Amino acid sequence: MSTLTVPETIPSVPEDCEQLRKAFADRDPLLFWKKCDVDLKMILVVLWTLDPAERDALLANEATKRWTSSNQVLVEIACTRSSHDLLLVRQAYHARYKKSLEEDVAYHTTGDFCKLLVPLVSSYRYEGDEVNMTLAKSEAKILHEKISEKAFNHEDIIRILATRSKAQINATLNHYKNQFGNDINKDLKTDPKDEFLAILRATVKCLNRPEKYFEKVLRLAINKHGTDEGALTRVVATRAEVDMKFIKDEYHRRSSVPLDRAIVKDTNGDYEDMLLALIGHGDA
Amino acid sequence: MSTLTVPETIPSVPEDCEQLRKAFADRDPLLFWKKCDVDLKMILVVLWTLDPAERDALLANEATKRWTSSNQVLVEIACTRSSHDLLLVRQAYHARYKKSLEEDVAYHTTGDFCKLLVPLVSSYRYEGDEVNMTLAKSEAKILHEKISEKAFNHEDIIRILATRSKAQINATLNHYKNQFGNDINKDLKTDPKDEFLAILRATVKCLNRPEKYFEKVLRLAINKHGTDEGALTRVVATRAEVDMKFIKDEYHRRSSVPLDRAIVKDTNGDYEDMLLALIGHGDA
């Protein structure tokens, strides 16, 4: 599924990149970037070069330190990585920050966000395909009841989303749609400005259709006035070797424009070249 | 720290033990025990023979299936094992039960117990010795405030106990005692019949002084009219090769009787012999 089918197309990495990477391993990288005035391309190269668990630990740490209720990076890391990969992130977090990921999330987030995010980042979901259809029906009913009552922060909603396997959640959400008529995310959009609802929808999407989640992050980042390079860089660096092919397909379908063309329109220079190389320009 | 210094003293294991162990791997062991009418010694042998992570997964599953608010086995497993060992338990749980430990705990426990137990069993605590003294002071103050207000289920109490490293919690509790005069567990005993307070005290003890926690479980098991063989078997089987030496020392100090003599008085036959062998009879 790698989009990096032709390594030769990657722009040559400056000689100081290895030095940068080493410095990066010893310090707070974002501080380092700021101090060094490195460019967007360099950030992308460094993020992409890092071991995935290290990279996620770093992104998660940034998200906790600068946490806002609109920040969905923790959900993204907790719900789109495999159970084993999330565990590696937690181990990398120990090694780098001398504390646990859930410790920082619990300390820096508040209220309903905390109630949802702590179990999400602490989860070690079962990854088998087995589905309990009776349970799927009963939990679809619970979800529908609580959502109808607008009890969006109800412990059962959080329990189901934070602990059930992805296969089980998929079955539950299919039953929800069959039985009650709507995608659950439609019912979770009663107030488009409610940020807790937004993070619940992101959770559902990350668990169930990660490529749709990432497509939307890219679309919003590119369509934003001035482009959200942070989101664009993060998604390209973290998904390049995972599911970028699917994300590109989804993007093309949803925006009627191929992702590479949208990137060419919105970015430039070395940064543009590197983004195109990482998304596998031309092999869509 | 092993108490099994002289393997020859272990009573001969019946020939069918290996068969039993094999059968055990395939089925619900407690059901199996009941069906087979195996004796206490056999249960002890099988529990002790199992890989520690397998054994804990089994004990944790039993605790969730038959969960009552007085059951402290989940706290014991979540808080006295190392972070890595708890993780191995969660992996063994996946393999055996085709679901996650936290999924079963969240489903089978309720209210405040659920709020405490889910993060405890999901925790992957940092295990370094680093302590932040400023944080220890501020969190000791938070704990004291919430306990003074009898807000025992407050999210900050749960957050601190469920996410901080054991070294950090130790520093916080030392500061609590220095600053406010009492051991925290004394302040958590306003109502000796309150089972949530009991489980909070067990959490503190398991995190901070596990040998004291296990000593008390053994003492209550032995002193109980008729002896609580379940607890006696569990503690001996799970701690024999870990910290039984410290637990025995603590028991002798607290009960003025050596543990082996108390066991001889309360049990008999093969079960007694096996218990004595596992606690390292004579080397106290």
Side-chain angles (χ1 to χ4, degrees):
Chain A
M1 283 199 295
S2 168
T3 52
L4 291 170
T5 45
V6 191
E8 296 78 40
T9 67
I10 299 174
S12 69
V13 174
E15 280 182 2
D16 57 355
C17 184
E18 180 56 23
Q19 280 182 305
L20 183 69
R21 209 192 55 73
K22 276 184 192 152
F24 189 84
D26 300 326
R27 318 180 185 199
D28 177 351
L30 291 209
L31 200 69
F32 183 77
W33 292 336
K34 278 166 208 147
K35 276 192 187 151
C36 297
D37 189 28
V38 291
D39 64 13
L40 283 169
K41 176 196 163 193
M42 196 64 94
I43 296 177
L44 178 60
V45 169
V46 174
L47 262 194
W48 176 69
T49 310
L50 277 175
D51 169 75
E54 275 280 309
R55 182 168 62 205
D56 281 351
L58 189 151
L59 292 168
N61 182 256
E62 275 302 304
T64 59
K65 279 197 301 192
R66 291 170 231 285
W67 186 75
T68 66
S69 55
S70 63
N71 189 328
Q72 299 180 348
V73 174
L74 291 168
V75 165
E76 188 176 307
I77 292 172
C79 300
T80 69
R81 279 46 166 173
S82 72
S83 298
H84 181 70
D85 286 347
L86 178 56
L87 195 62
L88 295 178
V89 176
R90 295 169 80 186
Q91 290 174 337
Y93 204 97
H94 277 202
R96 180 181 279 272
Y97 302 107
K98 309 297 178 201
K99 46 194 174 167
S100 73
L101 171 58
E102 66 267 27
E103 183 175 0
D104 273 355
V105 174
Y107 190 61
H108 291 288
T109 64
T110 54
D112 291 340
F113 294 91
C114 182
K115 274 174 67 178
L116 174 68
L117 290 170
V118 173
L120 284 182
V121 301
S122 309
S123 69
Y124 182 67
R125 294 176 202 270
Y126 177 63
E127 297 215 303
D129 285 335
E130 298 88 343
V131 165
N132 178 334
M133 286 309 293
T134 311
L135 190 68
K137 286 180 186 177
S138 72
E139 295 197 333
K141 195 159 164 279
I142 291 173
L143 290 174
H144 187 255
E145 273 170 19
K146 300 307 166 196
I147 290 172
S148 301
E149 297 162 6
K150 298 193 187 298
F152 301 118
N153 64 352
H154 193 279
E155 60 199 33
D156 278 334
I157 295 183
I158 292 173
R159 172 183 63 76
I160 292 166
L161 294 178
T163 69
R164 295 300 185 197
S165 73
K166 292 179 184 177
Q168 183 68 35
I169 288 174
N170 183 56
T172 301
L173 298 186
N174 280 335
H175 190 76
Y176 185 103
K177 190 170 182 182
N178 295 342
Q179 190 70 19
F180 306 111
N182 279 343
D183 267 334
I184 190 171
N185 270 3
K186 192 168 175 202
D187 292 343
L188 287 172
K189 216 170 178 171
T190 50
D191 174 3
K193 284 188 180 162
D194 182 319
E195 286 183 337
F196 184 68
L197 285 182
I199 214 161
L200 277 183
R201 293 195 303 274
T203 305
V204 167
K205 228 165 168 181
C206 284
L207 290 169
N208 213 34
R209 298 291 302 275
E211 70 286 0
K212 283 204 168 202
Y213 167 84
F214 287 116
E215 179 279 325
K216 190 174 178 187
V217 175
L218 287 178
R219 182 156 40 90
L220 296 180
I222 290 171
N223 290 351
K224 197 178 169 188
H225 184 70
T227 310
D228 178 353
E229 285 98 355
L232 182 56
T233 301
R234 182 182 84 246
V235 173
V236 171
T238 59
R239 310 316 291 178
E241 291 179 296
V242 185
D243 54 2
M244 187 53 83
K245 175 79 175 70
F246 300 119
I247 297 169
K248 282 200 295 184
D249 291 349
E250 197 63 40
Y251 189 95
H252 198 161
R253 219 180 348 257
R254 184 66 183 73
S255 307
S256 312
V257 173
L259 179 59
D260 53 3
R261 210 181 303 160
I263 286 175
V264 167
K265 191 160 165 278
D266 248 48
T267 61
N268 50 50
D270 284 351
Y271 181 56
E272 174 190 320
D273 293 344
M274 187 68 198
L275 285 170
L276 293 179
L278 288 177
I279 70 160
H281 178 51
D283 75 345
Chain B
M1 285 199 295
S2 167
T3 52
L4 290 170
T5 44
V6 192
E8 297 79 39
T9 66
I10 299 174
S12 70
V13 174
E15 281 182 2
D16 56 357
C17 184
E18 181 56 22
Q19 281 183 303
L20 183 68
R21 209 192 54 72
K22 276 183 191 153
F24 189 87
D26 301 327
R27 316 176 187 203
D28 176 352
L30 291 209
L31 199 71
F32 183 76
W33 292 337
K34 276 167 207 145
K35 276 193 187 150
C36 295
D37 190 27
V38 292
D39 63 14
L40 283 169
K41 176 197 163 191
M42 195 65 93
I43 295 177
L44 178 58
V45 169
V46 173
L47 262 193
W48 175 69
T49 309
L50 276 175
D51 169 75
E54 275 280 308
R55 181 168 62 206
D56 281 350
L58 188 153
L59 292 168
N61 181 255
E62 276 301 305
T64 57
K65 280 196 301 190
R66 289 170 233 286
W67 186 75
T68 66
S69 55
S70 64
N71 189 329
Q72 299 181 347
V73 174
L74 291 167
V75 166
E76 189 176 305
I77 292 171
C79 300
T80 69
R81 278 47 165 173
S82 72
S83 297
H84 181 69
D85 286 347
L86 178 57
L87 194 63
L88 296 179
V89 177
R90 294 169 81 185
Q91 290 175 336
Y93 205 97
H94 276 200
R96 181 181 280 272
Y97 301 109
K98 307 297 177 203
K99 46 194 174 167
S100 73
L101 171 57
E102 66 268 26
E103 182 175 1
D104 274 356
V105 173
Y107 191 61
H108 290 288
T109 64
T110 54
D112 292 339
F113 294 91
C114 182
K115 272 174 68 179
L116 174 67
L117 290 169
V118 173
L120 285 181
V121 302
S122 309
S123 68
Y124 183 67
R125 294 176 201 270
Y126 177 63
E127 296 213 306
D129 285 335
E130 298 89 343
V131 166
N132 178 334
M133 286 309 294
T134 311
L135 190 68
K137 286 180 187 177
S138 72
E139 295 198 334
K141 192 157 166 280
I142 292 173
L143 290 175
H144 187 255
E145 274 170 17
K146 300 308 166 196
I147 291 172
S148 301
E149 297 162 4
K150 296 193 187 302
F152 302 118
N153 64 352
H154 192 278
E155 61 200 31
D156 278 333
I157 296 184
I158 292 174
R159 173 183 62 77
I160 293 166
L161 294 179
T163 69
R164 294 301 185 197
S165 74
K166 291 179 186 179
Q168 183 68 34
I169 288 174
N170 182 55
T172 300
L173 299 186
N174 280 334
H175 189 77
Y176 185 103
K177 190 171 180 180
N178 296 342
Q179 190 70 17
F180 306 110
N182 281 342
D183 267 334
I184 192 172
N185 269 4
K186 193 167 175 205
D187 292 343
L188 288 172
K189 215 172 178 170
T190 49
D191 175 2
K193 285 187 180 162
D194 183 318
E195 285 182 338
F196 185 68
L197 285 182
I199 214 161
L200 277 182
R201 292 195 303 273
T203 304
V204 167
K205 230 167 168 178
C206 283
L207 290 169
N208 213 35
R209 299 292 302 274
E211 70 286 0
K212 284 205 167 200
Y213 168 84
F214 286 117
E215 179 280 325
K216 190 174 179 188
V217 174
L218 286 179
R219 183 155 41 89
L220 295 180
I222 291 172
N223 291 351
K224 197 179 169 188
H225 183 69
T227 311
D228 178 352
E229 285 99 354
L232 182 56
T233 301
R234 183 183 83 246
V235 174
V236 170
T238 58
R239 310 315 292 177
E241 292 178 295
V242 185
D243 54 2
M244 186 53 82
K245 175 79 176 70
F246 300 117
I247 297 170
K248 281 200 296 184
D249 290 351
E250 197 62 40
Y251 188 95
H252 198 161
R253 220 181 347 260
R254 185 65 184 73
S255 307
S256 313
V257 172
L259 180 59
D260 53 3
R261 210 181 303 158
I263 286 175
V264 167
K265 192 159 164 281
D266 248 48
T267 60
N268 50 49
D270 284 350
Y271 181 55
E272 174 191 319
D273 293 343
M274 188 69 198
L275 285 170
L276 293 178
L278 289 177
I279 70 161
H281 179 49
D283 75 345

